[in-house]
Amino acid sequence: MRILLAEDETHAGEYLVKGLGENGLVVDWLRNGLDVVHQVGVTEYDLVILDVGLPGLDGWGVIKRIRQQHGMPVLFLTARDRVEDRVRGLELGADDYLIKPFAFSELLARIHVLLRRGMQQERDTITLGDLQLQLLRRRVERAGKRIDLTAKEYALLLLFLCRQGEVLSRTVIAEQVWDMNFDSDTNVVEVAIRRLRAKIDEPFDTPLLHTVRGFGYVLESRP
């Protein structure tokens, strides 16, 4: 899941990027409202977390521009605590409104609700064969057996499940899961693939995660 964070305060931005990343979410962080409007036009996001007091274009202006063309969930995260502000944010098209200071656990719970709501009902659980990922509970099972994954392994599996049957290059995987440009000198993708295979494939009879030599990797059920 990819989130765009619009936050101009350095400490708050760093805290959110770290916390959300530790929970398996890829976060792009921008500090200027005009940059946010541009970015949602060129990149597909599952959620936007939006502060009101942004330079360039404030959060009210940003959501007006976003709602002209995009329907992704928007959560206001702001110190503006007046009832009038909350009403204004929701009337402009926000899906939720959380006031600073906030408990991170509450923010994460609200994010999960919005992400779940943004998907079709049948996407609450993503399956491939006997492999099952429950989005809300962040639970992975295969053949009824629970599989414990790290945050990055979970994000990697979620990417493959959302694009099952599609060959994903190491570059795409690195960008989507680690939010980094691919560096041919690093083997972070190969290591993560190996660890994921050890958990979702090796204990079972039928492998699902396959290497396509020269191209990348694909998650699919083969006869």
Side-chain angles (χ1 to χ4, degrees):
M1 294 294 176
R2 196 176 194 95
I3 291 177
L4 177 58
L5 170 65
E7 172 60 66
D8 65 325
E9 296 180 7
T10 299
H11 178 73
E14 291 175 346
Y15 170 73
L16 289 167
V17 169
K18 183 175 184 296
L20 295 174
E22 288 174 348
N23 283 275
L25 299 167
V26 175
V27 182
D28 291 339
W29 175 21
L30 296 175
R31 304 161 186 254
N32 184 290
L34 291 175
D35 292 339
V36 173
V37 172
H38 170 75
Q39 188 66 16
V40 298
V42 298
T43 302
E44 184 175 344
Y45 289 99
D46 300 294
L47 173 71
V48 176
I49 299 176
L50 186 60
D51 192 7
V52 173
L54 297 172
L57 182 66
D58 66 22
W60 310 132
V62 170
I63 194 169
K64 286 180 183 177
R65 300 274 290 274
I66 288 178
R67 282 293 176 250
Q68 290 175 0
Q69 298 184 23
H70 304 284
M72 82 277 282
V74 175
L75 184 154
F76 268 115
L77 184 61
T78 174
R80 302 283 187 96
D81 61 354
R82 298 184 308 168
V83 172
E84 299 94 305
D85 292 323
R86 282 179 274 166
V87 171
R88 183 180 184 185
L90 295 171
E91 288 185 341
L92 286 172
D95 298 90
D96 202 353
Y97 194 107
L98 184 60
I99 297 170
K100 300 176 182 175
F102 61 94
F104 186 81
S105 58
E106 182 182 0
L107 172 64
L108 195 60
R110 291 179 183 235
I111 288 173
H112 285 157
V113 170
L114 291 176
L115 292 175
R116 181 167 60 104
R117 191 183 300 165
M119 299 179 175
Q120 297 178 354
Q121 188 64 31
E122 62 266 28
R123 298 286 284 175
D124 285 348
T125 299
I126 308 176
T127 61
L128 174 64
D130 57 358
L131 177 65
Q132 182 183 87
L133 184 149
Q134 300 173 31
L135 289 164
L136 184 59
R137 301 173 65 193
R138 296 174 59 83
R139 182 184 178 98
V140 175
E141 295 180 355
R142 184 164 182 191
K145 180 181 178 181
R146 179 170 179 168
I147 300 173
D148 293 321
L149 301 179
T150 66
K152 286 302 180 187
E153 290 166 352
Y154 178 89
L156 181 60
L157 178 60
L158 181 57
L159 172 65
F160 275 117
L161 280 169
C162 289
R163 299 174 68 170
Q164 54 187 271
E166 180 180 348
V167 178
L168 302 180
S169 69
R170 289 189 296 169
T171 301
V172 169
I173 294 170
E175 288 176 350
Q176 294 293 316
V177 177
W178 283 270
D179 194 25
M180 64 182 228
N181 294 323
F182 180 69
D183 180 353
S184 59
D185 292 332
T186 180
N187 64 346
V188 63
V189 173
E190 288 83 354
V191 171
I193 292 285
R194 186 164 62 247
R195 290 175 176 169
L196 184 60
R197 270 191 175 129
K199 294 183 178 180
I200 68 167
D201 272 350
E202 290 180 6
F204 304 94
D205 294 333
T206 306
L208 296 174
L209 184 54
H210 307 277
T211 299
V212 181
R213 194 171 302 279
F215 292 95
Y217 305 92
V218 59
L219 186 74
E220 63 183 3
S221 180
R222 295 180 175 177

